[in-house]
Amino acid sequence: MSYFTFSNATQDQRRAFALDVHLGLSAPQKFIPSKYFYDENGSKLFQRITELPEYYLTGAEAEILKTYRESLAQYFASEPFALVEMGAGDGEKTKILLEHFLARGLDFHYAPIDISESALSELELSLSEQFPTLSFQACLAEYASGFSEIDNFSEARTVLLFLGSSIGNFSFPEIKLFLKTLWHGLNKGDFALIGFDLKKDIKTMQAAYDDKEGITKAFNLNLLHRINRELGGTFNTEKFYHHEIYNPKESAMESYLISLEAQEVYIDALKTTYRFAPYEAIFTERSYKFSDSSIRELAHETGFEIVETFKDSKQYFADSLWRVVK
Ligand SMILES: C[S@@+](CC[C@H](N)C(=O)[O-])C[C@H]1O[C@@H](n2cnc3c(N)ncnc32)[C@H](O)[C@@H]1O
C-alpha cells in the first residue's frame, strides 16, 4: 500500500472503536457513531447502496458534477492546486472531475482521505488503472487529522471536496465547528466544494434509507456484526430491527437499531455486559437535510463566501462552491 497513515493506526483505531462502543452503549440513549459503518464489509455495502434506484443522492450529485465540471474547471484553472477530498470512498463521482481536469490540462494533485482502508486501497488501484498520469497520494485517517497532515505539506492552493452529503452525518452545531476547524487550516482564496442533500418529499427520503432489497438494513446491522468480529461481541442481529425515520424537528433522516426483546450482550474486548430493554433503540446515524438558507448560514458563519451553488434538475441535491474569506 502506498497511502500514508500514522504509526500504530490499526491498534489505535481498535482501541478508539472499543471506547466509543462502550460510551455509546452505556449512555441513557444508546448510540454508535456512524463512522464505524465503514469496515471492509460496510464500505462494500455502501457501494451497493449508491447503485440502488432509491438512493437518489448519488445520481443527483453525479448529474451536477457532469453538468458543471467545466464551470468548476474554470474556477480552479488559474493556478496549481491540491484537490483534498474528505471521505472519498470509491471516488466514483470524483472521477468525473478528475477525468475532466486532466483532459483540460489543469495542474493539480489529488489527496483522498478516508478511514476505510479497503475503500482507499480499491480507490488507489482504480486511479492507477484509469488515470496513469494523475498525481495522487491517499491518506488513511479521520477527516480532520488527515486534512491537517496534508495541509502541512501543501504549498499550493487547496480545493477541498466533501461530497455525498457526508457533512450531514454531523449535527448542525457540529457542522459549524467542523467547518470552522477546516477554515483555520485553509488560506484566503482556497475553495471548498461541499455536497448537501436538500429537504424534499419525505417518502423519497424514507425510501432512500430503507430500500426494498434491504441493503441499507444490512449496512446498519453491519455495525453489530463489526462489534462481534472486532471486539468479540455476542450480538444476535436477528434480535434487532432496522428503523429509519425523518425527524422534521431536527431536519434529519435518523437510523436506529431497535432491540426486539429484553436481552444481554457481552463484549469480550470490554469485559462488559450491556442490557437492552424491549424496543430500546441504538441511534446509529443522522443524515441532516439542508435548505438554501441553512447552506448560506453555514458558509457565512464559518468564514466562507458562496461562489456558486449547483443543483440537479430535480433540485434534490446541491454542490456548493465556497471560497475562504480571511
Ligand atoms: C457516505 S460515504 C461517501 C463516499 C463518497 N464521498 C460518496 O459521495 O459516495 C462516507 C465515506 O467517508 C468515510 N468516512 C466516514 N467517516 C469518516 C471520518 N470521520 N473520517 C474519514 N473518513 C470518514 C467512509 O469510510 C466513507 O468512505
Side-chain angles (χ1 to χ4, degrees):
M1 306 294 151
S2 65
Y3 48 75
F4 71 85
T5 179
F6 309 115
S7 57
N8 294 324
T10 315
Q11 254 177 304
D12 289 350
Q13 275 168 5
R14 182 76 46 97
R15 220 172 292 134
F17 182 33
L19 188 64
D20 282 342
V21 166
H22 179 66
L23 286 175
L25 296 186
S26 310
Q29 162 61 74
K30 291 184 169 60
F31 67 94
I32 303 173
S34 64
K35 64 182 177 184
Y36 293 113
F37 280 131
Y38 300 95
D39 64 349
E40 184 173 357
N41 197 32
S43 293
K44 285 202 179 104
L45 286 166
F46 182 73
Q47 229 168 340
R48 287 179 66 194
I49 289 173
T50 63
E51 290 158 8
L52 292 167
E54 294 99 324
Y55 197 75
Y56 60 84
L57 292 87
T58 307
E61 192 169 41
E63 180 196 318
I64 296 171
L65 298 176
K66 277 183 195 144
T67 310
Y68 297 105
R69 58 193 158 186
E70 177 51 24
S71 310
L72 290 165
Q74 284 177 21
Y75 282 117
F76 308 147
S78 61
E79 54 183 279
F81 62 96
L83 186 65
V84 179
E85 180 164 18
M86 306 279 185
D90 66 6
E92 275 310 302
K93 284 171 295 176
T94 314
K95 288 176 187 169
I96 298 167
L97 296 182
L98 298 177
E99 186 175 30
H100 188 70
F101 293 171
L102 287 172
R104 284 275 269 95
L106 267 57
D107 183 0
F108 71 103
H109 172 82
Y110 176 49
I113 301 168
D114 207 293
I115 36 162
S116 166
E117 187 164 6
S118 65
L120 266 194
S121 52
E122 269 190 44
L123 176 62
E124 271 202 314
L125 201 66
S126 71
L127 289 175
S128 310
E129 278 171 14
Q130 289 179 42
F131 307 110
T133 60
L134 176 72
S135 156
F136 72 92
Q137 173 80 64
C139 175
L140 180 65
E142 292 256 347
Y143 299 133
S145 52
F147 171 67
S148 59
E149 201 66 17
I150 288 165
D151 196 46
N152 285 342
F153 293 118
S154 175
E155 307 253 296
R157 170 195 274 169
T158 299
V159 175
L160 202 68
L161 276 187
F162 200 11
L163 303 181
S165 207
S166 298
I167 198 167
N169 297 146
F170 297 120
S171 69
F172 205 67
E174 284 167 348
I175 296 175
K176 284 190 185 168
L177 205 63
F178 179 69
L179 289 169
K180 276 189 188 153
T181 309
L182 293 179
W183 180 88
H184 282 288
L186 291 164
N187 296 315
K188 183 179 172 189
D190 284 347
F191 287 105
L193 181 69
I194 307 179
F196 295 101
D197 192 24
L198 301 173
K199 284 185 190 178
K200 61 184 64 61
D201 160 57
I202 291 173
K203 282 196 182 122
T204 306
M205 295 192 286
Q206 191 86 33
Y209 293 85
D210 200 1
D211 64 283
K212 285 202 213 88
E213 268 190 72
I215 312 293
T216 336
K217 174 183 169 187
F219 179 68
N220 200 6
L221 284 168
N222 180 55
L223 271 175
L224 305 187
H225 286 297
R226 184 176 181 183
I227 294 172
N228 287 351
R229 278 192 298 269
E230 292 185 21
L231 305 179
T234 57
F235 278 104
N236 177 350
T237 56
E238 288 183 4
K239 292 186 178 174
F240 285 84
Y241 175 81
H242 163 71
H243 182 60
E244 282 291 337
I245 190 158
Y246 182 67
N247 181 340
K249 265 171 50 188
E250 300 291 331
S251 300
M253 283 299 302
E254 294 176 348
S255 310
Y256 296 90
L257 289 166
I258 295 179
S259 173
L260 290 173
E261 57 188 59
Q263 53 181 314
E264 291 187 347
V265 174
Y266 179 71
I267 299 180
D268 193 44
L270 293 159
K271 303 278 178 260
T272 305
T273 298
Y274 299 89
R275 287 177 185 81
F276 293 83
Y279 304 107
E280 186 174 357
I282 311 174
F283 177 51
T284 56
E285 190 176 49
R286 163 193 305 100
S287 300
Y288 191 89
K289 302 304 166 194
F290 298 85
S291 59
D292 289 338
S293 62
S294 60
I295 295 172
R296 272 197 303 273
E297 180 184 334
L298 285 175
H300 296 152
E301 288 191 11
T302 59
F304 295 84
E305 62 181 5
I306 297 179
V307 178
E308 195 169 349
T309 295
F310 308 98
K311 291 185 184 168
D312 63 298
S313 49
K314 288 186 176 152
Q315 310 274 299
Y316 275 3
F317 201 93
D319 276 315
S320 193
L321 180 64
W322 297 359
R323 193 187 284 118
V324 174
V325 184
K326 282 202 176 176

